[in-house]
């Protein structure tokens, strides 16, 4: 049965597995951002809470985009299980540091799949993943800009409120990827 299914798709098992792993990473990323949003909300950082909620929604869209791609090329898309999600964070700044680390890891992970696509001459999937590489440039830039705000503003008392206010503007100021 499995063998027959494989014959009906040009998607290699190796790439299919990597794509399903990416589906899981995007889903986990979405839940991580949701936990960050709730953490910020509990502390009254309402703009940051909204910021992470939007990030969470975007990651869910990414997850669905890859999930649907696997199905559309005849592969087997697997609903991911994401394990335990971190709910508590050391500090306001650490939430954003974890966000940037997460984006960097996602960029590397997608690059590894593109590498494998080149090796196996799967140009269709490589082409599909190009959009994600462009998206990651924007996502990393946004996450880095957030941390810059922490570096600029005094991190105590009113400074935290100022940081939270500035976070609300970061997404509006970001340059969208060329084909967005
Ligand atoms: Fe979908 Fe920002 O990684």
């Amino acid at each position: 049965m499995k063998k027959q299914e494989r014959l009906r798709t040009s998607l290699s098992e190796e790439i299919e597995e990597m794509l399903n792993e990416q589906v899981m990473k995007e889903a986990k990323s979405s839940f991580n951002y949701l936990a960050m949003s709730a953490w910020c909300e509990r502390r009254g950082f309402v703009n940051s809470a909204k910021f992470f909620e939007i990030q969470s929604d975007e990651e869910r869209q990414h997850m669905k985009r890859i999930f649907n791609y696997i199905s559309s090329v005849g592969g087997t898309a697997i609903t991911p299980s994401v394990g335990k999600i971190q709910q508590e964070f050391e500090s306001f700044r650490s939430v954003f540091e974890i966000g940037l680390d997460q984006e960097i890891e996602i960029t590397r992970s997608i690059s590894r799949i593109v590498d494998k696509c080149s090796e196996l001459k799967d140009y269709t999937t490589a082409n599909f993943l190009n959009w994600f590489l462009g998206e990651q440039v924007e996502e990393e830039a946004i996450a880095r800009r957030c941390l810059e705000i922490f570096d600029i503003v005094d991190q105590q008392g009113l400074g935290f409120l100022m940081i939270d206010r500035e976070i609300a503007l970061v997404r509006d100021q970001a340059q969208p990827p060329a084909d967005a």
Side-chain angles (χ1 to χ4, degrees):
M1 175 71 177
K2 176 83 175 161
K3 209 159 199 169
Q4 274 186 342
E5 278 178 11
R6 297 296 328 158
L7 287 176
R8 281 189 266 116
T9 173
S10 59
L11 190 66
S12 72
E13 281 187 74
E14 228 174 324
I15 303 264
E16 181 185 85
E17 197 178 308
M18 289 179 96
L19 287 173
N20 271 314
E21 203 178 310
Q22 192 63 35
V23 166
M24 183 276 289
K25 286 179 184 173
E26 302 287 348
K28 184 152 191 168
S29 202
S30 173
F31 282 123
N32 282 341
Y33 278 137
L34 205 55
M36 292 172 186
S37 173
W39 188 94
C40 290
E41 185 79 49
R42 289 198 295 277
R43 279 151 187 85
F45 300 131
V46 290
N47 294 311
S48 300
K50 187 70 196 163
F51 171 84
F52 284 122
E53 190 187 335
I54 293 169
Q55 294 296 108
S56 173
D57 290 346
E58 281 202 353
E59 299 304 344
R60 186 168 185 278
Q61 291 301 321
H62 296 170
M63 174 199 71
K64 280 170 57 188
R65 203 167 172 138
I66 301 171
F67 189 90
N68 291 339
Y69 172 79
I70 297 170
S71 295
S72 70
V73 293
T76 303
I78 296 170
T79 307
S81 116
V82 298
K84 205 165 162 36
I85 299 295
Q86 181 177 346
Q87 304 292 333
E88 292 301 330
F89 303 92
E90 244 176 54
S91 63
F92 192 20
R93 183 191 172 104
S94 79
V95 181
F96 287 89
E97 282 173 346
I98 291 170
L100 175 58
D101 287 346
Q102 178 169 277
E103 291 301 341
I104 290 171
E105 173 45 33
I106 292 272
T107 304
R108 289 181 177 154
S109 177
I110 291 169
S111 299
R112 282 194 291 272
I113 310 176
V114 173
D115 266 353
K116 184 54 77 179
C117 288
S118 302
E119 187 190 319
L120 301 182
K121 299 191 179 356
D122 182 350
Y123 302 117
T124 313
T125 304
N127 183 49
F128 164 74
L129 290 173
N130 259 337
W131 180 87
F132 284 86
L133 291 176
E135 180 79 359
Q136 282 311 114
V137 173
E138 187 194 5
E139 296 289 332
E140 280 193 33
I142 287 173
R144 265 191 299 276
R145 175 63 193 145
C146 289
L147 280 175
E148 270 171 18
I149 293 169
F150 278 86
D151 291 339
I152 293 164
V153 181
D154 185 22
Q155 287 177 57
Q156 49 186 328
L158 282 177
F160 281 135
L161 283 180
M162 199 180 288
I163 290 168
D164 188 51
R165 220 171 292 147
E166 286 297 314
I167 295 294
L169 306 174
V170 172
R171 290 192 63 89
D172 295 338
Q173 292 163 348
Q175 294 291 326
D179 64 341

